[in-house]
């Protein structure tokens, strides 16, 4: 139907006109405890995430993205500094408040280049909610926070915000976008979802009297009741580990002793992972998906969606009973160490739709700085993913390093499970630092990591190469290369 000239003029005049910066805006979203496959397009059998799926369709999906460390505090530090834990020093979930104020965070370099910067949500590198350097706007919760009616820290004061925490953070994020639509801006959103309700003390231990419940928004509660999750071949209904993992076998013996001594562990651990747990986690993800949809809609409404790069990822994975694990989401197996990573860069005309080259969480800082055209800080150890996004390269590294420093809190049976991992396009080598043992998996032939090949003479040459790569990568991570 033809429109009259006055009607078209009305549309033109009434549409918002934003004078946009030539530098792209950047929105980075970090979901807590989200598995690499915990979204509709990622392979979840019943979880529907249309907005995350659309982001993947319009952007680039990284199929082999890994956490530099599969644990909340140290990996958040790795994401925001571009450094490995052995370099930035946040090696576990104990409250290193002072150290976290001294981190060389990449947002400060964006701020110096004229970006307005914001942190909205979970910090958890130290329990203090006070603003860290490099941010123009800061709203945070102390430690793990609360899912409903959380205590927030904003404008140098604490207050109770009524509502569901995912929705609250989304409102705050949209408010920042609206106030800074002329750009350029950097917005970091650290969701509490899909972490269970928990109280974590400064020493890293958790309060066992606080039930570790997954709490969806009220509007989503019960939507997936009765649904069944198709379990992995590595799933153990008896919470036991397969043969060939002696370090884990020993840890599970210690776990059994801990559960016998303190029955509060039984309810907390959810051994075997109940279907209800997977269902309520999926229901929590619905609010995360809605959050992304609201943010994308606001960017479009303001006419800045085509000048905004969106990065979507998580801080660590989670086990659904694979290899006998439940809450111990810090172990070197795929369910824990792989991460969802989606990047939408509208400035790239024909972006790669899927990338199989290795990517690490330490790469996100370098990528954000590259997107902004800001010189990579000399302390950033990661690599920009831009060559992979553009299709210029299929890979930027032949192998990747994963570090983990153990701590007896919150799980006493993991006290000696320090490890280093080197992963390639085919193999994964796990070296347990406190034990004279290791594990080797062919991820192409054995994606569920069921058969430890460490004693197989056919892989002697491969093992020697991986050991050499691990030594070189560890020296590099320490800054000693």
């Amino acid at each position: 139907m033809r429109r009259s000239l006055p009607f078209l003029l009305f549309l033109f005049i009434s549409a918002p006109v934003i004078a946009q910066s030539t530098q792209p805006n950047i929105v980075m979203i970090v979901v807590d405890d989200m598995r690499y496959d915990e979204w509709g397009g990622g392979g979840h059998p019943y979880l529907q995430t249309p907005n995350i799926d659309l982001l993947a369709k319009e952007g680039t999906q990284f199929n082999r993205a890994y956490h530099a460390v599969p644990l909340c505090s140290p990996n958040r530090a790795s994401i925001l500094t571009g450094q490995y834990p052995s370099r930035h020093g946040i090696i576990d979930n104990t409250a290193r408040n002072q150290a976290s104020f001294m981190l060389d965070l990449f947002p400060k370099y964006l701020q110096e280049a004229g970006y307005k910067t914001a942190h909205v949500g979970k910090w958890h590198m130290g329990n203090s909610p006070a603003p860290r350097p490099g941010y123009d706007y800061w709203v945070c919760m102390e430690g793990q926070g609360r899912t409903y009616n959380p205590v927030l820290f904003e404008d140098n004061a604490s207050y109770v915000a009524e509502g569901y925490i995912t929705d609250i953070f989304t409102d705050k994020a949209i408010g920042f976008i609206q106030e800074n639509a002329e750009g350029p801006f950097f917005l970091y959103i650290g969701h509490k979802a899909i972490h269970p309700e928990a109280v974590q003390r400064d020493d890293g231990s958790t309060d066992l009297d606080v039930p570790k419940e997954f709490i969806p928004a009220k509007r989503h509660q019960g939507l997936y009741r009765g649904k069944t999750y198709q379990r992995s071949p590595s799933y153990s209904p008896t919470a036991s580990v397969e043969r060939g993992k002696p370090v884990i076998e020993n840890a599970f013996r210690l776990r059994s002793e801990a559960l016998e001594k303190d029955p509060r562990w039984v309810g907390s651990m959810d051994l075997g992972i109940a279907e209800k747990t997977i269902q309520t986690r999926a229901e929590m993800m619905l609010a995360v998906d809605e959050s992304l949809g609201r943010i994308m809609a606001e960017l479009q409404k303001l006419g800045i969606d085509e000048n905004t790069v969106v990065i979507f990822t998580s801080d660590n994975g989670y086990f659904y009973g694979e290899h006998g694990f439940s809450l111990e989401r810090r172990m070197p197996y795929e369910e824990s160490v792989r991460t969802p990573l989606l990047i939408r860069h509208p400035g790239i005309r024909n972006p790669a739709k899927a990338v199989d080259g290795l990517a690490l969480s330490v790469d996100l800082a370098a990528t954000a700085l590259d997107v902004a055209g800001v010189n990579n800080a000399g302390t950033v150890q990661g690599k920009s993913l831009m060559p992979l996004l553009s299709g210029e390269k299929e890979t930027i590294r032949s192998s990747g390093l994963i570090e983990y420093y153990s701590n007896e809190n919150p799980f006493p049976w993991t006290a000696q499970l320090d490890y280093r991992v080197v992963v390639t396009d085919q193999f994964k080598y796990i070296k347990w630092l406190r034990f004279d043992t290791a594990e080797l998996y062919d991820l192409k032939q054995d994606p569920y990591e069921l058969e430890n090949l460490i004693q197989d003479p056919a892989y002697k040459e491969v093992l020697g190469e991986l050991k050499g790569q691990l030594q070189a990568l560890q020296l590099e991570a320490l800054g000693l290369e």
Side-chain angles (χ1 to χ4, degrees):
M1 183 174 66
R2 291 186 65 183
R3 299 292 191 185
S4 66
L5 182 59
F7 180 84
L8 293 174
L9 287 173
F10 170 77
L11 284 179
F12 177 77
I13 294 171
S14 61
V17 179
I18 303 295
Q20 299 181 39
S21 166
T22 56
Q23 289 176 293
N25 308 307
I26 305 169
V27 176
M28 181 179 288
I29 301 169
V30 178
V31 185
D32 202 328
D33 279 6
M34 179 185 174
R35 290 167 55 115
Y36 73 94
D37 57 358
E38 207 160 9
W39 54 290
H44 197 288
Y46 56 79
L47 171 58
Q48 297 181 11
T49 53
N51 296 298
I52 300 174
D53 295 355
L54 181 60
L55 185 69
K57 181 180 179 181
E58 294 181 346
T60 301
Q61 179 177 339
F62 289 78
N63 295 324
R64 299 206 65 217
Y66 286 85
H67 303 290
V69 49
L71 186 60
C72 182
S73 297
N75 200 33
R76 289 170 186 269
S78 289
I79 289 171
L80 286 169
T81 65
Q83 300 174 5
Y84 291 93
S86 56
R87 183 72 173 270
H88 61 59
I90 309 296
I91 59 173
D92 53 34
N93 282 352
T94 57
R96 290 178 169 81
N97 289 315
Q98 184 58 39
S100 72
F101 278 93
M102 301 170 69
L103 291 171
D104 193 18
L105 307 172
F106 81 80
K108 77 177 183 182
Y109 297 104
L110 296 178
Q111 189 181 52
E112 291 171 358
Y115 274 73
K116 292 296 183 181
T117 59
H119 172 94
V120 175
K122 185 175 182 178
W123 174 254
H124 201 221
M125 287 169 269
N127 286 328
S128 168
R132 269 57 172 185
Y135 295 95
D136 297 293
Y137 174 66
W138 178 276
V139 57
C140 185
M141 59 188 188
E142 181 175 346
Q144 297 287 358
R146 293 199 302 256
T147 303
Y148 266 100
N149 302 329
V151 177
L152 300 184
F153 189 91
E154 184 179 10
D155 295 331
N156 295 315
S158 296
Y159 65 97
V160 175
E162 295 186 2
Y164 188 66
I165 196 163
T166 306
D167 300 337
I168 294 169
F169 287 160
T170 306
D171 291 342
K172 298 289 185 182
I174 289 175
F176 173 80
I177 291 171
Q178 291 171 339
E179 292 180 8
N180 297 278
E182 292 186 2
F185 63 77
F186 169 75
L187 168 62
Y188 176 96
I189 304 171
H191 283 300
K192 174 177 172 59
I194 44 180
H195 197 284
E197 202 76 344
V199 172
Q200 190 160 39
R201 305 182 183 96
D202 282 355
D203 66 358
S205 64
T206 59
D207 187 343
L208 293 179
D209 291 321
V210 176
K212 291 179 171 56
E213 299 176 298
F214 294 95
I215 305 177
K218 292 178 181 178
R219 63 186 179 276
H220 297 141
Q221 291 178 6
L223 290 181
Y224 290 133
R225 185 179 296 120
K227 295 290 186 180
T228 301
Y229 188 86
Q230 181 63 45
R231 304 292 181 141
S232 162
S234 63
Y235 172 70
S236 172
T238 59
S240 56
V241 70
E242 57 272 7
R243 295 180 63 183
K245 297 179 173 65
V247 171
I248 303 303
E249 289 178 5
N250 181 64
F252 282 0
R253 283 193 290 270
L254 297 175
R255 183 175 70 180
S256 296
E257 294 174 5
L259 268 62
E260 289 178 4
K261 291 179 181 178
D262 191 340
R264 292 178 301 172
W265 277 115
V266 177
S268 295
M269 290 306 299
D270 187 21
L271 296 180
I273 301 295
E275 291 290 345
K276 181 181 178 182
T277 297
I278 302 175
Q279 293 160 9
T280 51
R281 283 174 60 89
E283 290 165 3
M284 288 183 76
M285 275 300 300
L286 294 177
V288 173
D289 186 70
E290 289 176 356
S291 171
L292 175 62
R294 288 182 58 198
I295 289 168
M296 297 304 297
E298 188 63 32
L299 294 171
Q300 187 174 19
K301 175 183 174 183
L302 294 170
I304 58 175
D305 57 314
E306 292 303 302
N307 193 41
T308 302
V309 175
V310 178
I311 302 171
F312 184 94
T313 190
S314 73
D315 65 342
N316 53 256
Y318 201 85
F319 289 105
Y320 285 166
E322 295 91 352
H323 311 293
F325 290 109
S326 60
L327 284 181
E328 305 104 330
R329 64 277 210 197
R330 59 198 68 205
M331 294 295 99
Y333 306 107
E334 295 289 275
E335 297 81 10
S336 178
V337 297
R338 282 180 63 186
T339 180
L341 179 57
L342 308 173
I343 301 180
R344 179 184 184 270
H345 192 322
I348 298 176
R349 181 169 297 180
N350 295 304
K353 302 309 296 179
V355 171
D356 293 324
L358 292 172
L360 299 172
S361 56
V362 291
D363 297 333
L364 298 183
T367 303
L369 292 172
D370 196 3
V371 165
V374 176
N375 289 334
N376 190 333
T379 57
V380 172
Q381 296 177 298
K383 301 180 179 181
S384 173
L385 299 175
M386 287 288 283
L388 300 180
L389 286 169
S390 65
E392 176 188 346
K393 295 182 179 180
E394 293 185 355
T395 183
I396 57 173
R397 58 168 56 85
S398 60
S399 58
L401 174 69
I402 303 170
E403 299 184 322
Y404 175 68
Y405 292 84
S406 67
N407 187 294
E408 63 188 50
N409 295 325
F411 307 116
W413 53 92
T414 66
Q416 291 187 311
L417 299 188
D418 305 63
Y419 62 76
R420 298 294 183 270
V421 170
V422 61
V423 61
T424 70
D425 63 344
Q426 182 173 356
F427 295 101
K428 178 191 284 184
Y429 171 62
I430 304 169
K431 180 63 182 80
W432 300 100
L433 300 186
R434 296 173 185 256
F435 299 89
D436 188 21
T437 187
E439 298 173 27
L440 174 65
Y441 300 98
D442 184 335
L443 296 177
K444 287 186 177 180
Q445 300 299 321
D446 179 24
Y448 301 107
E449 300 167 288
L450 297 174
E451 184 180 1
N452 184 4
L453 303 170
I454 199 70
Q455 299 296 338
D456 191 329
Y459 292 88
K460 182 178 180 180
E461 184 176 344
V462 169
L463 181 59
E465 293 176 356
L466 293 173
K467 286 182 177 180
Q469 291 180 39
L470 179 57
Q471 291 172 3
L473 290 170
Q474 182 64 91
L475 287 174
E476 182 181 339
L478 288 165
L480 298 176
E481 77 288 357

